[in-house]
Amino acid sequence: MSEFTRFLGDTPLRIFLKLLVVSFLVGIVMSYFGWSPYDVFYQIRDFVLQLWNMGFKAIDRFVGYFLLGAAVVVPVFVVLRLLSYRR
């Protein structure tokens, strides 16, 4: 078995025929749904961007909660430290 055949996993002719059949079937499905390769690319891109933005929205929400809590906790801490320092 040659390196090329081992890399492909089968003989080149059989791989070519498999790819031909699968490409034809995928083409039929994409045509049925009215998709183009650009549509698939843009859908993947939009999905990744939405995940990216959701991640930063979660971080933004966390930082917002942190700052909201710190606006109360830090002054109370400072006041309590000042009151305990006098004693």
Side-chain angles (χ1 to χ4, degrees):
M1 180 181 279
S2 72
E3 291 293 322
F4 187 64
T5 303
R6 190 173 359 170
F7 171 75
L8 291 176
D10 208 345
T11 62
L13 181 61
R14 288 184 59 147
I15 293 296
F16 176 75
L17 291 175
K18 288 177 185 179
L19 289 175
L20 192 70
V21 170
V22 171
S23 296
F24 179 71
L25 293 175
V26 169
I28 288 173
V29 170
M30 288 180 67
S31 177
Y32 178 77
F33 287 111
W35 294 343
S36 72
Y38 289 115
D39 293 333
V40 174
F41 172 75
Y42 290 131
Q43 289 287 338
I44 292 171
R45 184 198 65 180
D46 291 344
F47 176 73
V48 170
L49 286 175
Q50 285 176 345
L51 283 178
W52 180 270
N53 290 333
M54 279 182 14
F56 280 112
K57 284 181 185 175
I59 292 171
D60 182 47
R61 183 177 290 162
F62 173 77
V63 170
Y65 290 152
F66 176 76
L67 292 176
L68 185 62
V72 173
V73 171
V74 172
V76 169
F77 173 77
V78 170
V79 168
L80 289 174
R81 293 300 295 166
L82 289 174
L83 290 176
S84 68
Y85 180 72
R86 288 185 175 179
R87 293 181 185 182

